[in-house]
Amino acid sequence: ERLNIYRQAVMPNSLEKGICALLDYLNQQECDEALMIVHLPFWFPYAAQLRKRFGWRIIYDCLDEHSGFANNTPEMLALEEGALKGCDLLVTTSALLHEKGHAANENSALIRNAGDYLHFSRAHRRADSPLADLPQPVIGYYGALAEWFDCEALAAALEKHPEWSFVLIGHVDG
């Protein structure tokens, strides 16, 4: 069975192999210093080992409330707890995540998800883009499509604005 980085923890022998492969790559690139940004708790043991060996700092970019996913495992939740407490800087994307995270790690910052509308609205249209011929405006979503995705809200928006284009990009789970 294939390893699922969203639900499982890394095995110790795989951890060491992964670190060796990463160090080989960094040596080839002549990189001897790094700042590690972890987006998924699965990767925290790798970062923790590298910090122990080299003193590299870890930022845990906490994007999700992992305990809120119905398909999560105790292993993932334990890794998340380790990442929350063990990182050098915790970045959260919502007030709820920030409140939980700050209780585990005082060195935290709330940085909300956002896009720069002016920047993206000025982007040149590409004729070869799959979105080029869609009616404007194009409402986009990029991320996982899982049990927590609010399909009812999307359906309401589609019904209210059938003249708009809605584009969803992401892995469908469930």
Side-chain angles (χ1 to χ4, degrees):
E1 183 178 322
R2 226 175 115 170
L3 178 67
N4 185 325
I5 64 171
Y6 298 100
R7 296 187 184 107
Q8 295 172 284
V10 65
M11 301 302 288
N13 63 335
S14 296
L15 177 65
E16 190 55 37
K17 287 179 183 176
I19 288 173
C20 287
L22 178 60
L23 291 176
D24 284 346
Y25 174 76
L26 293 175
N27 284 334
Q28 290 172 15
Q29 302 302 312
E30 299 180 9
C31 176
D32 59 2
E33 191 173 341
L35 173 65
M36 301 174 290
I37 302 174
V38 175
H39 293 283
L40 187 66
F42 175 86
W43 299 111
F44 186 74
Y46 290 96
Q49 281 293 326
L50 292 166
R51 178 176 58 195
K52 186 176 176 181
R53 291 185 191 185
F54 302 106
W56 298 344
R57 300 290 181 121
I58 302 170
I59 297 173
Y60 175 40
D61 189 7
C62 182
L63 305 167
D64 293 307
E65 173 64 63
H66 291 279
S67 64
F69 295 123
N71 61 356
N72 233 325
T73 63
E75 292 88 359
M76 181 59 67
L77 298 180
L79 288 171
E80 180 184 36
E81 188 68 23
L84 289 170
K85 291 179 179 177
C87 64
D88 298 295
L89 173 63
L90 172 64
V91 175
T92 55
T93 57
S94 73
L96 181 68
L97 290 173
H98 186 68
E99 186 177 314
K100 176 186 174 182
H102 190 73
N105 188 329
E106 289 185 6
N107 196 17
S108 61
L110 171 62
I111 302 174
R112 297 182 188 278
N113 289 331
D116 184 341
Y117 175 78
L118 288 177
H119 170 76
F120 288 104
S121 66
R122 292 181 187 148
H124 296 290
R125 287 193 150 170
R126 290 187 1 236
D128 62 342
S129 167
L131 307 179
D133 295 328
L134 292 178
Q136 299 291 309
V138 175
I139 311 302
Y141 170 81
Y142 178 82
L145 299 159
E147 81 280 347
W148 46 262
F149 186 82
D150 195 343
C151 293
E152 291 176 10
L154 177 61
L158 286 164
E159 188 173 314
K160 185 167 179 138
H161 293 284
E163 72 280 11
W164 293 0
S165 297
F166 291 83
V167 177
L168 310 177
I169 301 171
H171 175 76
V172 178
D173 185 18

